[in-house]
Amino acid sequence: MLVDTHVHLNSKKYKDNLPQVISRAHEAGVELMIVVGFDHETNLRAIELAEKYPFIYATVGYHPTDARHVKPRDYEILSKQLKHEKVVGIGECGLDFYWDKEYVDKQIEVFRKQIELSIEFDKPLIIHMRDASEATYNVLSEYKNLKGIMHCYSGSPEMAKEFLKLGFHISLGGPVTFLNGRVPKEVAKIVPIDKLLIETDAPYLSPHPFRGKTNEPARVKLVAEEIARLRDVSYTSIAKTTANNAYKLFNIKEMK
Ligand code: NI
């Protein structure tokens, strides 16, 4: 019933316990996981996992903090990978001025190339944005008919409305459960239900009460529970609706 729309099962963190992590996810009700690549190696690993497991799909892309290493040939590789039937999105890509203020122009160039690939292949963008709301908005607003996800959205409710107008979905993760997560809790209340997604970003951003520990996809359930509480609706309705939104956006047929 749950879909984790952003999980890095391709991370080395799971090299010794992946079967256990997957089975705990299933026990928690996770039926589909989108494994997100962020560099050449993790893109390949995401595809490998998608080929192995029916309940895993992959995305491929280059993370903004890696932008300075991206070469023209890397876009050809992405183009080939985007033709794979289980590669359902592009990213994570975007802008990150928290970890990297030095290569801003290169970040923007690499972001634009991936936006263009998203349009060409008609697959959603997975957007990473940190300390860069305005710049990310400015780049995206130059294009039309975009679709994608503001992943683990941490911006203001006002900016969320602007990204929604550009056609994006808003995905919430562990921070919505944090005791001091005032802003994401506000965002959780205002996103139209058909534009809302949930994720873990595991192994990062473990929800409360596991904050600081290695995260895993089973904990997407805690994210859904907190959003249900904030919106004063049932857990089942949040789980089902966000799952349906994910199937639709990624153009995946529901598995039965
Ligand atoms: Ni991520």
Side-chain angles (χ1 to χ4, degrees):
M1 192 164 62
L2 292 159
V3 175
D4 186 350
T5 61
H6 192 116
V7 55
H8 300 291
L9 294 181
N10 46 356
S11 159
K12 289 194 180 79
K13 288 255 184 198
Y14 302 117
K15 95 179 151 23
D16 298 323
N17 66 348
L18 189 61
Q20 292 89 325
V21 167
I22 287 174
S23 85
R24 283 196 290 270
H26 286 158
E27 279 161 35
V30 178
E31 61 181 30
L32 184 82
M33 291 176 261
I34 309 292
V35 172
V36 173
F38 49 89
D39 60 14
H40 182 62
E41 198 184 320
T42 55
N43 291 339
L44 289 176
R45 179 72 177 141
I47 294 172
E48 195 179 296
L49 291 170
E51 286 175 344
K52 183 166 176 190
Y53 298 103
F55 48 84
I56 288 178
Y57 284 74
T59 74
V60 293
Y62 296 107
H63 197 278
T65 54
D66 251 355
R68 63 187 185 278
H69 304 299
V70 175
K71 311 248 175 330
R73 164 144 175 73
D74 294 323
Y75 303 117
E76 289 167 34
I77 298 172
L78 279 191
S79 292
K80 280 199 190 113
Q81 291 172 331
L82 283 161
K83 290 183 185 131
H84 192 294
E85 61 171 358
K86 291 202 79 182
V87 173
V88 291
I90 178 152
E92 52 187 292
C93 58
L95 300 175
D96 188 323
F97 300 160
Y98 178 84
W99 290 111
D100 175 21
K101 284 196 193 75
E102 218 176 313
Y103 299 93
V104 167
D105 290 347
K106 182 71 179 174
Q107 282 196 38
I108 292 175
E109 175 199 312
V110 173
F111 186 26
R112 282 186 193 282
K113 289 277 190 197
Q114 294 180 89
I115 296 171
E116 284 154 23
L117 285 172
S118 156
I119 295 167
E120 183 186 338
F121 286 89
D122 193 26
K123 291 185 178 181
L125 284 161
I126 318 298
I127 302 215
H128 169 102
M129 173 178 90
R130 186 144 184 212
D131 285 2
S133 296
E134 213 181 301
T136 305
Y137 179 80
N138 288 341
V139 173
L140 290 172
S141 63
E142 288 171 30
Y143 298 85
K144 283 204 177 65
N145 300 322
L146 295 180
K147 59 179 173 186
I149 300 175
M150 303 309 295
H151 126 71
C152 204
Y153 180 77
S154 61
S156 68
E158 293 73 31
M159 278 310 288
K161 288 178 192 161
E162 298 304 316
F163 289 113
L164 286 161
K165 279 187 211 154
L166 293 180
F168 283 85
H169 285 61
I170 303 286
S171 181
L172 295 173
V176 79
T177 69
F178 293 172
L179 299 175
N180 60 352
R182 190 181 57 80
V183 177
K185 285 182 204 295
E186 282 304 310
V187 172
K189 292 182 206 165
I190 60 116
V191 176
I193 193 67
D194 62 329
K195 292 288 182 180
L196 186 65
L197 297 167
I198 53 174
E199 64 171 86
T200 56
D201 200 19
Y204 314 106
L205 293 172
S206 224
H208 176 78
F210 303 101
R211 192 171 178 179
K213 305 226 166 76
T214 301
N215 199 3
E216 54 177 79
R219 296 192 189 139
V220 76
K221 188 175 185 184
L222 299 171
V223 174
E225 283 171 350
E226 177 63 6
I227 294 174
R229 191 186 71 78
L230 291 162
R231 294 177 76 111
D232 197 21
V233 295
S234 72
Y235 161 74
T236 311
S237 81
I238 290 295
K240 275 193 184 157
T241 312
T242 53
N244 283 338
N245 293 345
Y247 281 106
K248 217 166 133 189
L249 178 66
F250 288 111
N251 199 17
I252 298 170
K253 287 198 184 66
E254 206 152 341
M255 295 179 303
K256 278 283 170 272

